[in-house]
Amino acid sequence: MGKFVINTRKNGEYQFQLKAGNGQVILVSEGYTSLSGCENGIESVKKNAPNDDRYDRRTTESGKFRFNLKAGNGQVIGTSESYESESGRDNGIESVKKNAPDAEVVNEA
């Protein structure tokens, strides 16, 4: 089962990572100035993750593949790592869809 891990960046902002059951990071948030903002971001990921239309599939300038998960208003709420292949990226999206909705939240901030 997946989990959201909240931690603090060096600049003091809060950030979450969504980790798959195997511990691999599959989605990372932006920085939030407050813990409540970070928790709201997690709720938004849980809500939007099952909707395929919320994923913005991209190719980087270096030819790698990644995706952003967006909220209904178009704001990016999470970004993936870079993948070597389109199929790897698509598997990452499926992993977010599967893990995010019921993931526990662990606050390590």
Side-chain angles (χ1 to χ4, degrees):
M1 184 165 87
K3 67 179 176 181
F4 288 96
V5 178
I6 298 172
N7 49 45
T8 309
R9 292 177 163 184
K10 289 179 183 172
N11 65 2
E13 291 182 332
Y14 294 93
Q15 179 181 43
F16 65 79
Q17 297 177 328
L18 173 60
K19 295 184 177 185
N22 63 6
Q24 181 179 358
V25 175
I26 52 178
L27 196 71
V28 178
S29 75
E30 63 181 4
Y32 294 91
T33 56
S34 69
L35 179 58
S36 63
C38 188
E39 291 169 336
N40 288 341
I42 290 171
E43 289 307 310
S44 185
V45 170
K46 287 183 173 193
K47 179 177 140 189
N48 288 285
N51 187 342
D52 194 65
D53 293 343
R54 299 284 193 250
Y55 293 89
D56 182 19
R57 294 158 172 87
R58 299 187 164 257
T59 305
T60 66
E61 289 181 14
S62 61
K64 298 197 185 239
F65 302 89
R66 65 182 327 147
F67 63 87
N68 291 320
L69 175 60
K70 294 185 173 185
N73 63 5
Q75 181 178 357
V76 174
I77 48 178
T79 301
S80 74
E81 65 178 349
S82 291
Y83 295 92
E84 296 295 325
S85 66
E86 277 187 84
S87 62
R89 176 191 62 203
D90 293 344
N91 287 341
I93 290 171
E94 291 306 312
S95 185
V96 171
K97 287 179 181 179
K98 180 177 113 181
N99 285 283
D102 300 316
E104 68 174 317
V105 179
V106 178
N107 186 345
E108 295 181 354

